[in-house]
Amino acid sequence: MDYVNIIIPFVGGLGMFIYGMQIMSQGLENAAGNKMKSILEVLTRNKLMGVLLGAAITAVIQSSSATTVMVVGFVNAGIMNLTQAMGVIMGANIGTTVTGWLVSAVEWAEFLSPARLAPIAVIVGVVIMLTGKRRSARDIASIIIGFGLLFIGITNMSSAVAPLQESEAFSSIFVKLGHNPLLGILAGALITAIIQSSSASVGILQSLAAAGLVPFSAAIYIIMGQNIGTCVTAMLSSMGAKKNAKTAALMHLLFNIIGTIIFSIFAILFFKVINPAAGVGMINQTQISMAHTAFNIGTTVLLFPVSNLIIKLAKKIGRVEEDEFDEGKVQLDERIMETPVIAIQSVVNEVARMGDIVARSLEVAKKVLFVESYEDVVFLKEEESKVDRLSAGITEYAIKLSSLQISEKEHQDVAHLLQTVSDIERISDYCENISEFAENLYQKKLRFSKVGTEQLKEMLDVCADSYQYAIEAFKERSKEKALKVIEKETRADDLEITLRSKHIKRLTNGECNTEAGIVFLDTLVCLERISDHARNIAEEVMEQMV
């Protein structure tokens, strides 16, 4: 038998299958667009929502490995806790069955015959790609072309292995895998670990089944092994990550191993004792899809009630505890960049968190000039240090993100975020400046006059309100609150001019201490600039809403 003429077309078909799957999933992901941004909000809900979310996301990107790698990234970034991660991991196993159903559709939906539909899909997709000017058209074209290439790939694989039906040696391999559950599981795990895609691994199995080469029992054991093999990608991804991220990858592995052990026992009893004849018959593509789906749904249903025990077991095996949250450390992870739309939303969340830290600083700055408190001075300096670290980390991450192949709209979103980070960081600098003014007052035993204190407090309130509205406008994408910022900033500008004029008159008349008066004027400058940067944030929000 000429194995070269079997292997080369098979490998070529596999390459086309994987490439088609990738460009189709990329098109689906891009088409999902803003809907995927809501993922981070959904993640804050219960574990069942996590299962549904994991299934939906994996159905779109067609890779449980990619979803789990994303989960590892979320946990490493502190966006998701281990309980939420467990739900998404369970759902990912269900979502990955979609590709198998697409491939097996050639058996239960005749109109999806690759020979008939795949070439048409490719040419239709190419026409849309060449003629469509909008991004949405190109995304649709990617989905259609990917769909066609996927079917052409699976057809080529099936045709390539068809001659192996005559090979007794090759057939005996699958018979042995059916008789020996451990070998079957190891074979499925090894192949999936090598190509790092359970969807592609199932596709290979289906192409062999289409040629009438795979016994029912062997297929069941191989499918269970494939679920273990798909954990390799996440395990590799967790290398170098924080302890919790490694635990998330270990949870994925434990979940699939426990499910495999349980269902292997049932399979062995069925094929060895209850109905040995059932395991000898050849399986078809649709039956593989059914078995794959039943195994993954069954494992999820069975282990969902005890999922917290799996989390505890993963922690115990990995000898890890929950990491302490470092507020000054950027909670972003490059693994999430595999899905830019979610990575951008993660940056938005970090910028909002940075904004909240500065809002807290501004509240302390409102009182530090009037009540002697070295603790508040130290607090403001420490907060500024945190914000500097966040600013540098977020900026570095956003620049890396903008270097990826993302849409023009996404590039604009990143640019707006970078500008907002800069504005928030500058406001933090001014809060630190105010703390230095306060420290100077403490050391020289200086105080503002009663009138000066009242006027400065009024200015502080206006500017703090302006910034608070800016952060709320950023979080909520609220034009109404952005307009409030502009209103407050205008008030701050007018107030700064008025208060400066009145204060200079007091200095001229000798009604206040000169050194305290200089601090008063310097503070006015800082506050007016805080309101200017708050307005910049509001204008960035309104530009994004155009």
Side-chain angles (χ1 to χ4, degrees):
M1 184 171 291
D2 189 356
Y3 288 103
V4 173
N5 287 330
I6 293 174
I7 293 172
I8 292 177
F10 179 83
V11 172
L14 176 61
M16 193 173 294
F17 177 88
I18 294 173
Y19 179 65
M21 188 170 63
Q22 285 184 338
I23 65 172
M24 181 170 69
S25 64
Q26 187 62 55
L28 284 164
E29 183 182 317
N30 292 339
N34 291 330
K35 291 181 181 179
M36 289 187 73
K37 287 186 178 181
S38 62
I39 182 173
L40 298 177
E41 296 173 10
V42 177
L43 289 176
T44 62
R45 301 178 190 174
N46 59 46
K47 198 186 300 176
L48 179 59
M49 289 302 300
V51 173
L52 298 175
L53 179 67
I57 294 298
T58 308
V60 169
I61 64 178
Q62 295 187 36
S63 172
S64 60
S65 297
T67 301
T68 310
V69 167
M70 195 187 304
V71 167
V72 170
F74 282 142
V75 173
N76 196 49
I79 296 170
M80 186 190 300
N81 61 39
L82 293 176
T83 301
Q84 294 165 335
M86 190 73 235
V88 179
I89 286 168
M90 290 188 286
N93 277 20
I94 297 173
T96 196
T97 62
V98 169
T99 307
W101 282 106
L102 283 174
V103 171
S104 65
V106 299
E107 292 181 346
W108 49 267
E110 190 178 348
F111 69 92
L112 290 176
S113 169
R116 179 185 306 170
L117 190 62
I120 297 173
V122 172
I123 191 62
V124 169
V126 169
V127 170
I128 294 174
M129 184 169 286
L130 292 176
T131 57
K133 296 181 180 179
R134 300 181 64 179
R135 180 186 171 91
S136 57
R138 294 197 298 272
D139 292 336
I140 292 171
S142 293
I143 296 169
I144 296 173
I145 293 172
F147 186 77
L149 290 178
L150 185 149
F151 275 129
I152 292 173
I154 200 72
T155 301
N156 287 352
M157 284 195 288
S158 298
S159 300
V161 298
L164 293 175
Q165 287 178 297
E166 301 171 8
S167 171
E168 290 185 10
F170 195 83
S171 297
S172 67
I173 292 174
F174 281 99
V175 172
K176 287 179 182 177
L177 294 178
H179 286 307
N180 191 321
L182 183 59
L183 283 178
I185 292 169
L186 288 174
L190 183 62
I191 293 170
T192 308
I194 291 171
I195 61 177
Q196 294 193 26
S197 171
S198 59
S199 295
S201 181
V202 171
I204 293 172
L205 186 64
Q206 287 177 305
S207 68
L208 294 169
L213 294 167
V214 186
F216 210 102
S217 57
I220 298 301
Y221 298 132
I222 290 171
I223 287 169
M224 288 189 283
Q226 288 168 336
N227 272 42
I228 295 174
T230 195
C231 300
V232 169
T233 309
M235 294 298 291
L236 291 173
S237 174
S238 70
M239 292 176 66
K242 291 192 300 188
K243 292 178 180 179
N244 272 3
K246 292 177 180 177
T247 305
L250 190 56
M251 279 160 32
H252 185 212
L253 180 62
L254 286 173
F255 177 76
N256 285 335
I257 288 176
I258 293 170
T260 297
I261 290 171
I262 293 170
F263 281 91
S264 291
I265 293 171
F266 284 115
I268 291 169
L269 286 173
F270 182 78
F271 293 128
K272 298 287 186 181
V273 180
I274 300 173
N275 190 356
V280 178
M282 295 298 155
I283 196 170
N284 60 36
Q285 292 178 323
T286 303
Q287 288 169 331
I288 287 175
S289 298
M290 292 172 66
H292 190 210
T293 304
F295 171 67
N296 285 320
I297 292 178
T299 301
T300 300
V301 170
L302 196 63
L303 297 182
F304 183 86
V306 296
S307 56
N308 286 336
L309 295 178
I310 296 176
I311 296 173
K312 289 179 181 178
L313 180 59
K315 284 183 179 181
K316 189 170 183 179
I317 293 174
R319 296 179 182 178
V320 300
E321 299 294 336
E322 292 282 348
D323 291 321
E324 290 186 9
F325 179 66
D326 181 358
E327 199 175 45
K329 187 173 182 179
V330 176
Q331 305 300 309
L332 294 168
D333 194 285
E334 292 188 18
R335 296 168 184 81
I336 307 173
M337 287 187 185
E338 292 291 328
T339 311
V341 68
I342 298 177
I344 291 172
Q345 184 60 43
S346 299
V347 175
V348 170
N349 289 355
E350 276 299 273
V351 175
R353 186 170 72 83
M354 177 180 167
D356 287 338
I357 291 173
V358 176
R360 189 171 65 201
S361 295
L362 198 48
E363 282 302 307
V364 174
K366 284 172 65 176
K367 64 180 182 178
V368 74
L369 289 164
F370 312 111
V371 179
E372 185 172 320
S373 172
Y374 282 98
E375 290 82 5
D376 284 344
V377 170
V378 172
F379 173 82
L380 287 171
K381 290 180 178 179
E382 288 176 349
E383 294 294 274
E384 160 59 11
S385 178
K386 285 180 188 177
V387 171
D388 281 346
R389 283 185 285 149
L390 285 175
S391 175
I394 293 171
T395 300
E396 181 183 357
Y397 187 89
I399 290 171
K400 286 182 181 179
L401 188 54
S402 65
S403 68
L404 301 177
Q405 291 184 336
I406 56 178
S407 69
E408 182 60 32
K409 173 65 168 58
E410 289 166 340
H411 274 295
Q412 291 174 2
D413 287 343
V414 172
H416 287 304
L417 287 169
L418 285 169
Q419 182 58 52
T420 300
V421 168
S422 176
D423 285 313
I424 293 174
E425 195 276 331
R426 291 298 295 136
I427 291 171
S428 179
D429 287 342
Y430 290 124
C431 288
E432 184 184 31
N433 289 347
I434 291 171
S435 76
E436 290 169 353
F437 299 155
E439 190 173 18
N440 187 34
L441 290 174
Y442 301 164
Q443 290 172 352
K444 296 182 178 181
K445 305 298 182 182
L446 299 174
R447 291 287 183 273
F448 298 121
S449 65
K450 185 178 179 181
V451 174
T453 297
E454 290 175 355
Q455 291 178 344
L456 208 51
K457 283 183 177 180
E458 182 183 5
M459 184 69 171
L460 276 160
D461 286 339
V462 171
C463 294
D465 287 347
S466 175
Y467 177 71
Q468 190 58 46
Y469 278 126
I471 291 301
E472 289 175 5
F474 174 79
K475 290 178 182 177
E476 301 168 17
R477 288 293 179 266
S478 169
K479 184 177 181 180
E480 181 183 349
K481 289 188 175 178
L483 291 172
K484 281 275 189 184
V485 177
I486 295 172
E487 179 186 321
K488 290 286 182 180
E489 192 273 336
T490 303
R491 169 66 178 148
D493 284 348
D494 294 340
L495 198 56
E496 193 267 345
I497 294 169
T498 302
L499 296 184
R500 176 180 292 276
S501 176
K502 289 181 178 179
H503 185 66
I504 290 172
K505 285 182 181 179
R506 286 199 303 276
L507 284 172
T508 303
N509 295 332
E511 296 174 13
C512 61
N513 180 278
T514 302
E515 287 188 85
I518 293 171
V519 172
F520 182 98
L521 293 173
D522 287 343
T523 303
L524 278 183
V525 172
C526 285
L527 293 174
E528 191 275 331
R529 288 176 181 170
I530 284 173
S531 69
D532 286 343
H533 286 290
R535 178 171 183 149
N536 290 346
I537 295 169
E539 288 175 348
E540 292 291 331
V541 170
M542 289 194 290
E543 279 186 38
Q544 283 185 286
M545 296 175 69
V546 174

